Amino acid sequence: MNKLTIQQQIEHMKSKGILFNVISEEDARQYLLDNNYYFRLKAYAKNFDKYPAGEHKNQYVKLEFAYLKEMAIIDMQLRFVLLSMAIDIEHYIKKQLINDVVQEKNEDGCNLVKKTFTDDQIFEICEKKKEKSVCRDLIIKHEEEDWTVWSLVEILSFANTIRLYNNFYRLYPKPQKMNISNLLYSVKSLRNATAHNNCILNSIKKSYTSTKQILNIGLFNDIIKAGFIDANYDRKHIDGEFHVTCERLKKRMKNLVINDFIATIVAYKRIVSSEELKKYRFGELKDFFDGRMLKHKNFFEKNTSLVTTYKILKKFIDFSLENDI
């Protein structure tokens, strides 16, 4: 796209069928000057339908600028909550790993490091962080000696922490402690997106995988076994209540962000051992879904994809508060 002035951005949106009835063009112009930028805001339009044919072909169907603004705000506030949860998970996998290493009689803390990373990899990790992070003093202190697990985790990225974590439980299998191994890269993906301030709600509608397989069949099966899907659900007795069916859940879990969101919820339940912290974080998440997310629910009530996704995730959060997964 060519460089556009703020006024040209407004005109470009109008040419795409975006409306300014709820928020005026002048207020939209001020919002783009003070709060956001066009390329990012326009990304949320992918969640809305276009006319397939006729006079308005390829224009958005009754899409208001206000809807895009609201999605941007919801996205931002949701990222804050999810980033906190991902950071908690990172802390608790380090805590669990170190505790299990200490208790493992065949592991001295250095052996695992040597079996996970080469000397060149350790050198590269240290060099990257020595001059650019708060880890400088720790690196200088340990760079002339063998690294132990409990010192190295302080300088590792989340990805390398996961690598160390998974390798330990491969070498010293503890089935009761391996129930998040297939979830951690989803947590990492969501953590990176939230930490780098990426949009996470801009492709809720269309970013399903092209195959028939969901992204994490193990996670899907765990949810089913936990009882999230009502096995007695009968389409003849809906009575106005929204039901999460297997097909609805499968479709949503083909979406990368939704898959990673659900994986993060399950990982949090399994790895965080502080009941007080779990209560607090899930309280934040539930309050957001029950409160702020519904502030302008009328904007989206005709968007079946967004409404269905919201209802499934809302039910899953409520289910997670009351059940083990």
Side-chain angles (χ1 to χ4, degrees):
M1 180 181 290
N2 296 327
K3 182 172 71 173
L4 302 176
T5 66
I6 298 295
Q7 183 56 45
Q8 287 172 330
Q9 291 169 21
I10 298 290
E11 295 303 322
H12 185 266
M13 281 187 275
K14 289 167 64 177
S15 73
K16 296 296 183 179
I18 296 174
L19 307 172
F20 295 85
N21 298 315
V22 181
I23 293 178
S24 69
E25 290 184 35
E26 180 55 38
D27 287 344
R29 187 180 300 109
Q30 199 63 44
Y31 175 77
L32 290 171
L33 282 169
D34 296 340
N35 300 99
N36 214 326
Y37 51 94
Y38 176 59
F39 185 81
R40 186 182 186 90
L41 196 72
K42 180 67 166 48
Y44 297 103
K46 288 186 288 184
N47 291 312
F48 297 88
D49 290 334
K50 290 182 177 180
Y51 291 101
E55 179 185 354
H56 301 291
K57 182 179 179 180
N58 292 328
Q59 291 187 340
Y60 291 101
V61 180
K62 297 181 180 180
L63 172 57
E64 290 281 349
F65 179 88
Y67 304 171
L68 302 178
K69 176 184 174 183
E70 179 65 4
M71 286 210 72
I73 294 171
I74 289 173
D75 196 332
M76 174 190 68
Q77 295 182 356
L78 181 59
R79 289 197 304 271
F80 293 158
V81 179
L82 293 177
L83 178 59
S84 295
M85 295 184 77
I87 290 172
D88 291 343
I89 291 171
E90 183 176 7
H91 169 75
Y92 275 89
I93 67 170
K94 291 178 181 178
K95 185 271 296 180
Q96 178 181 298
L97 173 62
I98 292 170
N99 286 350
D100 284 351
V101 167
V102 169
Q103 295 176 41
E104 176 55 57
K105 63 181 180 180
N106 296 316
E107 177 58 57
D108 63 2
C110 296
N111 178 58
L112 176 63
V113 173
K114 292 177 180 178
K115 287 189 174 183
T116 307
F117 303 104
T118 66
D119 290 342
D120 287 344
Q121 288 171 334
I122 293 292
F123 176 80
E124 184 178 357
I125 290 168
C126 292
E127 286 300 299
K128 282 183 177 180
K129 292 206 169 185
K130 187 163 63 175
E131 302 300 331
K132 299 180 181 179
S133 78
V134 294
C135 302
R136 172 183 168 81
D137 290 345
L138 179 64
I139 293 172
I140 292 174
K141 178 181 178 180
H142 290 281
E143 63 183 350
E144 298 301 326
E145 58 188 53
D146 289 338
W147 282 91
T148 59
V149 172
W150 41 89
S151 55
L152 186 63
V153 294
E154 297 300 317
I155 70 169
L156 290 181
S157 66
F158 196 5
N160 278 328
T161 298
I162 294 171
R163 181 178 171 185
L164 192 67
Y165 179 94
N166 286 340
N167 200 33
F168 174 78
Y169 293 107
R170 181 185 65 81
L171 294 169
Y172 309 103
K174 303 179 190 299
Q176 73 278 16
K177 298 290 184 68
M178 298 170 66
N179 61 357
I180 65 167
S181 293
N182 72 329
L183 306 176
L184 289 178
Y185 284 105
S186 287
V187 176
K188 178 189 74 71
S189 178
L190 196 61
R191 175 199 180 274
N192 288 348
T194 55
H196 295 140
N197 204 33
N198 300 138
C199 299
I200 60 174
L201 299 180
N202 59 313
S203 296
I204 295 300
K205 180 179 178 180
K206 293 187 177 180
S207 66
Y208 301 122
T209 59
S210 58
T211 69
K212 294 182 180 180
Q213 295 298 315
I214 61 177
L215 294 168
N216 191 329
I217 190 64
L219 175 60
F220 177 81
N221 288 337
D222 285 349
I223 294 170
I224 299 299
K225 289 176 184 177
F228 180 53
I229 303 297
D230 183 2
N232 297 317
Y233 167 64
D234 185 344
R235 290 181 180 272
K236 295 179 181 179
H237 300 90
I238 295 178
D239 297 329
E241 182 181 352
F242 178 83
H243 291 268
V244 181
T245 65
C246 280
E247 287 306 311
R248 280 175 169 165
L249 185 61
K250 281 181 180 178
K251 184 177 181 182
R252 280 355 187 243
M253 287 186 70
K254 290 180 181 179
N255 179 286
L256 182 63
V257 171
I258 296 172
N259 176 84
D260 293 348
F261 178 94
I262 291 174
T264 298
I265 297 296
V266 175
Y268 202 94
K269 287 277 291 186
R270 293 177 179 179
I271 192 66
V272 175
S273 55
S274 169
E275 293 300 324
E276 183 177 354
L277 181 56
K278 278 197 284 193
K279 181 179 179 181
Y280 178 77
R281 289 288 185 232
F282 274 95
E284 280 188 317
L285 191 59
K286 181 173 171 55
D287 287 347
F288 181 68
F289 267 74
D290 290 346
R292 178 58 187 86
M293 198 173 277
L294 297 178
K295 183 177 180 180
H296 295 294
K297 65 180 182 179
N298 60 301
F299 288 177
F300 312 112
E301 59 188 7
K302 293 182 179 180
N303 190 318
T304 303
S305 181
L306 292 182
V307 170
T308 301
T309 299
Y310 169 82
K311 288 181 176 180
I312 289 174
L313 296 183
K314 168 69 170 61
K315 279 184 172 284
F316 187 71
I317 293 168
D318 291 343
F319 179 82
S320 300
L321 285 168
E322 303 295 334
N323 299 274
D324 292 329
I325 304 173

